[in-house]
Amino acid sequence: MNEHNTSPLCQLERLRPHEIRQRLKERSLVYVPLGTIEWHAEHLPVGLDALTAHGVCLQSAAHTGGIVYPPLHFGIGGGHGNYPWTVMLGDEAILRALLSSVLNAMQSFGVQQVVLFTGHFADEQIHLIGDVADRWNALGQSLRVLACSMNQIEPSPIAPDHAGIFETTLLHALWPEGVDLSQLPPKTPRTGNIEEDGWGPQRHIAGHPLWGVVGPDPRDFKPEQGAALLSAATSWLVGQVNARPG
């Protein structure tokens, strides 16, 4: 991953105990990025949601301080459960229990603020992390929890989508080698106006040129837009964190 403007000292799994203590002394904040393993068409990796969430959290931690938990590749909802190389939790209680374990541990370590940030923004996932945060905060503990989702970025220079221009551009900004448009068929007179077929059920049929893409044709993405999109995502998340400190 291209970790420009970030430091490995933000990444929890790479820190020694004294380094963790020092980071949290400067700001008692832990980002927890979430995603899933999910089909994102042929041109993107199946771990995209967690990869982008982790990347944006690293960028944000470079501004706010704090540390970033390893990304959790677990998710629910989204309507892609029957695609190849897609692993969705069948029971939301599993993800609730996982997040509760993380929050209980962070509370015991004296952390003051945890940010749950999901790059998998199915409605079910957004509702779940929001509910986890609300229920935790209602307990009145010293640890405060903020739940945010990638599709809530405001303003965003590119509208959120699934495997379309938004996700392709964001991942390319973080990790250019992670995008391989050569895996999609080239545009032909038949596919040149692919947006005319909308984002309907035909996109869920194997063999469609944009099988699994819910959004604008990623073959039209412009790499030069990546910096602005990543900056917008980072600025928005930093603003959310600083507006509601622990």
Side-chain angles (χ1 to χ4, degrees):
M1 293 283 284
N2 177 11
E3 296 174 2
H4 56 82
N5 297 325
T6 69
S7 165
L9 293 181
C10 293
Q11 297 178 240
L12 174 61
E13 70 275 21
R14 299 173 67 171
L15 300 180
R16 300 173 185 85
H18 75 278
E19 295 170 319
I20 296 173
R21 291 192 295 269
Q22 182 59 40
R23 291 287 299 185
L24 294 183
K25 181 179 180 181
E26 294 167 1
R27 183 158 186 184
S28 188
L29 165 65
V30 176
Y31 291 87
V32 179
L34 294 96
T36 191
I37 297 297
E38 181 183 27
W39 177 268
H40 280 82
E42 293 284 355
H43 67 299
L44 296 173
V46 296
L48 178 137
D49 292 341
L51 290 168
T52 54
H54 188 235
V56 173
C57 285
L58 288 173
Q59 295 285 323
S60 298
H63 295 278
T64 63
I67 57 180
V68 180
Y69 201 88
L72 304 179
H73 292 261
F74 300 98
I76 60 172
H80 284 72
N82 294 324
Y83 274 81
W85 294 104
T86 298
V87 181
M88 290 293 172
L89 297 176
D91 185 351
E92 70 167 35
I94 299 172
L95 185 53
R96 284 183 181 275
L98 180 62
L99 293 177
S100 293
S101 295
V102 172
L103 295 179
N104 282 321
M106 295 302 108
Q107 170 76 21
S108 71
F109 300 149
V111 174
Q112 296 296 302
Q113 185 180 20
V114 166
V115 178
L116 305 176
F117 183 60
T118 183
H120 175 62
F121 45 83
D123 290 343
E124 298 92 331
Q125 179 100 341
I126 296 171
H127 173 77
L128 185 146
I129 66 168
D131 191 56
V132 167
D134 289 344
R135 288 171 181 258
W136 179 276
N137 291 333
L139 297 175
Q141 309 232 47
S142 58
L143 170 65
R144 307 303 292 171
V145 182
L146 172 65
C148 298
S149 173
M150 190 75 76
N151 68 324
Q152 296 170 338
I153 296 168
E154 183 65 36
S156 176
I158 302 174
D161 58 37
H162 175 82
I165 289 178
F166 175 89
E167 289 195 320
T168 300
T169 304
L170 184 58
L171 184 67
H172 190 273
L174 290 162
W175 181 31
E177 296 81 7
V179 177
D180 185 2
L181 290 175
S182 72
Q183 297 302 312
L184 296 176
K187 284 190 170 184
T188 68
R190 181 176 67 85
T191 64
N193 295 318
I194 203 72
E195 265 310 291
E196 292 179 1
D197 74 3
W199 306 350
Q202 66 280 351
R203 294 279 186 91
H204 293 284
I205 299 173
H208 190 284
L210 299 181
W211 184 33
V213 175
V214 183
D217 192 331
R219 294 172 295 186
D220 294 328
F221 105 101
K222 296 178 174 57
E224 62 271 17
Q225 295 179 333
L229 180 57
L230 179 56
S231 177
T234 301
S235 295
W236 178 82
L237 186 56
V238 168
Q240 295 297 305
V241 172
N242 287 338
R244 285 172 279 185

